[in-house]
Amino acid sequence: QVLSHNLYTVLCIPHDPVALEEHFRDDDDGPVSSQGYMPYLNKYILDKVEEGAFVKENFDELCWTLTAKKNYKPDQNGNSTVSHQDAFKLWCLFNFLSEDRYPLVMVPDEVEYLLKKICTAMNVELNSCELDDYLSQEPQGQVGLTVWQFLDMVNSGRFLRGIEQEAISMAVEEVYQEVIEDVLKQARSPHVLGHKPCSAPTPVLISVSGVQGYLWKRGQLRRNWSERWFMLKPSVLSYYMSEERKEKKGSIVLDKNCCVEVLPDRDGKRCMFCVKTSSRTYEMSASDTRQRQEWMLAIQTAIRLQAEGKKSLHKDLKQKRREQREQREQRKAAKEEETQRLKQLQEEKERKLQELELLKEAQRQAEILLQEEEQRRRQQHEEMQRTLEIQLREAEQARASMQAEMVLKEAEAERQRKRILELEAMQQGLEEALQQEVKARQDEEAVRYAQARLLAEEEEKLKQLMKLKEEQEEYIIKTQLEKQVLKQEMENKNKCLEEAQKQLEEVRVNRQRVDQDVMAAQRKLRQASTNVKHWNVQMNRLMHPIGPGDKRTNTSGGVFTGYQPILSQRDSSLK
């Protein structure tokens, strides 16, 4: 409840304690886990958040409070390199520069980028070799640093050795305003450079992300000149009474239609320039030409971001750095792939050379074997030629005997052709008898179907008769008390019963007539079976095998053996 209440407060959405009670009504026995709280957080809190309706810094402070107590471990003796507030700002910078996947990690390139910016803000050079040594000690397979590893690394003092905590704090504040608050231009405090502060306005230095500093501004109505503390962000140029930014005097909304121009010196003011918007023109004066040039470049950068539709310069730079890392990784992968491919090609070349040597050796062995094979084949050819001559003489003798045998076979074939013609005529007669039998069977089936239909009608009539009888009995029981009133209805029922009995008698007569038709069809079937038997007897007389007078009796007799199974099959089907 406390966590939800704080989230409702910092995200500026209406409190809904009832929803919390309703959501956990069925599961309020034990502590709530992260997995159990996430559905409620997404549905009732995060889904209701509107972009720009809450202060991002307050939300960051709440998240830092929730996580730092358990995970952040500064030096217990108070010798930490950064203060608790600076650790919070570094935590915010880490979240901004980390990769867009959970758990959040910051790749080594982004770690080096952030440390370089902090060192640059203090005019200190980062020791990249020492940073590489530190990152190389991370566990194998880890792609970057977690936020707590990063804070431990900063607190270790290895990279900010010999620098006062106040200078580190101011440098972190400068980078925080530049990256998180999108301040496109800011004044470099003399404390960071190791100088004493003076009363005169400090020079303003262009930074990659934010601008702050004193400028003289001319009023619109009174036309007097006033010194104001200006702070430039990508979408707006705000001005305050002083650098504490407690009293805001106004702001200039920047868009793609705005422009910056140099103005000539007048009214005792020098290094003048103006910012033109669609509604009015703002006149300002810088302390020197360099400061004017820096402010104009910074404002033009903000206008360019608005024209390109970009809300944050550092988000764009972060995306570009990520794309550059991806391109480097792709080039590295391509280079490794090319190296691997070249290595494979070299191995393939060596393997092919070995195979070539083996092929040459195999070719020499093959030539020796070929010569031996040629000599052996020549000997086999001579032996085969002698064998073929012997077989040719034997074939001539066999040819003469085969011609004599062919004359006998032709005479026998002529006799077999005549016998086939007789059998074909007999088969045709048998097929006609079979067709007559099939027709008789079809007639019988039609009569049987009619008989079945009449039986079904008879059964239906019997059911109707039984139903009428049951109704009659019911009427008889009911009409014991109303006999005189229902007498006429009983007569009608009796008439219906008599008509049903007549119809039943007609159905029975029809059934007898169908039975007679079935008997006639059976007689036709018996007559057809008699005809088939007669033809079978005739066929059996003609099926005695012919005894040839040579050695190939079985082969020639096989011409007629194919008819016997056909006739036997048809005889069995007729039966």
Side-chain angles (χ1 to χ4, degrees), residues 305-466:
L305 290 175
Q306 293 298 314
E308 294 175 356
K310 298 175 182 177
K311 297 182 178 180
S312 172
L313 177 61
H314 269 277
K315 288 183 180 179
D316 183 46
L317 294 175
K318 174 186 173 183
Q319 183 63 28
K320 289 181 179 178
R321 290 195 302 272
R322 179 178 299 173
E323 292 174 356
Q324 290 174 357
R325 286 198 303 273
E326 292 175 354
Q327 291 175 1
R328 286 199 305 270
E329 291 175 358
Q330 290 176 359
R331 287 195 298 268
K332 183 178 179 182
K335 187 176 180 180
E336 291 178 355
E337 183 179 357
E338 182 68 19
T339 305
Q340 187 67 21
R341 190 175 65 84
L342 291 174
K343 184 178 179 182
Q344 291 176 356
L345 289 175
Q346 184 67 23
E347 293 176 355
E348 183 71 17
K349 182 179 178 181
E350 293 176 357
R351 187 175 60 82
K352 287 186 178 298
L353 290 174
Q354 294 176 359
E355 290 178 355
L356 184 60
E357 291 296 331
L358 293 174
L359 287 174
K360 289 180 179 179
E361 182 64 25
Q363 185 177 5
R364 287 193 296 270
Q365 296 293 334
E367 289 176 354
I368 297 172
L369 293 175
L370 185 61
Q371 292 175 0
E372 295 176 355
E373 183 68 23
E374 183 68 25
Q375 185 177 359
R376 187 171 58 254
R377 190 166 53 248
R378 191 179 298 110
Q379 293 175 358
Q380 291 178 355
H381 181 69
E382 292 175 356
E383 292 176 359
M384 189 180 295
Q385 187 174 3
R386 287 193 297 269
T387 304
L388 288 176
E389 288 176 356
I390 296 170
Q391 290 178 355
L392 183 60
R393 288 194 296 270
E394 292 176 354
E396 289 293 335
Q397 295 173 1
R399 180 181 177 185
S401 62
M402 287 293 291
Q403 286 178 353
E405 189 178 352
M406 285 295 293
V407 174
L408 296 175
K409 293 298 181 184
E410 288 177 359
E412 184 181 350
E414 185 64 28
R415 290 195 302 272
Q416 294 293 345
R417 280 195 292 271
K418 291 179 181 180
R419 189 69 176 270
I420 289 172
L421 292 175
E422 292 175 0
L423 287 173
E424 287 178 350
M426 188 180 296
Q427 182 184 3
Q428 186 175 2
L430 185 60
E431 288 178 351
E432 291 177 357
L434 185 61
Q435 289 178 357
Q436 291 178 2
E437 183 180 359
V438 171
K439 185 175 181 183
R441 283 184 178 275
Q442 290 176 352
D443 294 340
E444 182 184 1
E445 290 294 331
V447 172
R448 285 182 184 275
Y449 176 75
Q451 184 181 9
R453 183 171 54 80
L454 291 174
L455 285 173
E457 292 179 356
E458 180 180 359
E459 185 178 356
E460 184 66 25
K461 294 297 182 182
L462 282 173
K463 289 181 181 178
Q464 293 180 0
L465 179 60
M466 293 300 294

Side-chain angles (χ1 to χ4, degrees), residues 46 118 174 206 217 259 268 273 275 303 307 376 379 505 572:
L46 298 183
I118 296 174
E174 179 179 337
I206 286 185
K217 174 185 170 296
C259 65
F273 66 96
V275 178
I303 295 173
R376 187 171 58 254
Q379 293 175 358
E505 290 296 328
S572 62

Side-chain angles (χ1 to χ4, degrees), residues 201-240:
T202 58
V204 181
L205 178 65
I206 286 185
S207 177
V208 180
S209 78
V211 178
Q212 296 184 71
Y214 280 107
L215 290 174
W216 289 90
K217 174 185 170 296
R218 189 171 189 178
Q220 182 180 7
L221 298 177
R222 298 173 59 184
R223 308 301 291 173
N224 61 328
W225 290 89
S226 303
E227 190 178 27
R228 297 285 182 255
W229 175 266
F230 280 82
M231 184 177 68
L232 175 62
K233 292 188 176 183
S235 60
V236 64
L237 176 60
S238 304
Y239 48 94
Y240 304 83

Side-chain angles (χ1 to χ4, degrees), residues 17-52:
V18 178
L20 181 67
E21 298 293 338
E22 291 291 332
H23 184 77
F24 292 102
R25 173 180 295 177
D26 299 332
D27 186 16
D28 58 353
D29 295 335
V32 180
S33 64
S34 299
Q35 292 80 8
Y37 185 68
M38 285 305 295
Y40 171 79
L41 176 65
N42 289 325
K43 181 177 180 180
Y44 294 99
I45 299 179
L46 298 183
D47 289 349
K48 297 179 181 180
V49 176
E50 297 181 359
E51 185 69 26

Side-chain angles (χ1 to χ4, degrees), residues 505-516:
E505 290 296 328
E506 291 176 359
V507 170
R508 288 176 178 173
V509 171
N510 292 333
R511 179 182 176 185
Q512 292 176 0
R513 185 168 58 255
V514 171
D515 290 338
Q516 292 174 1

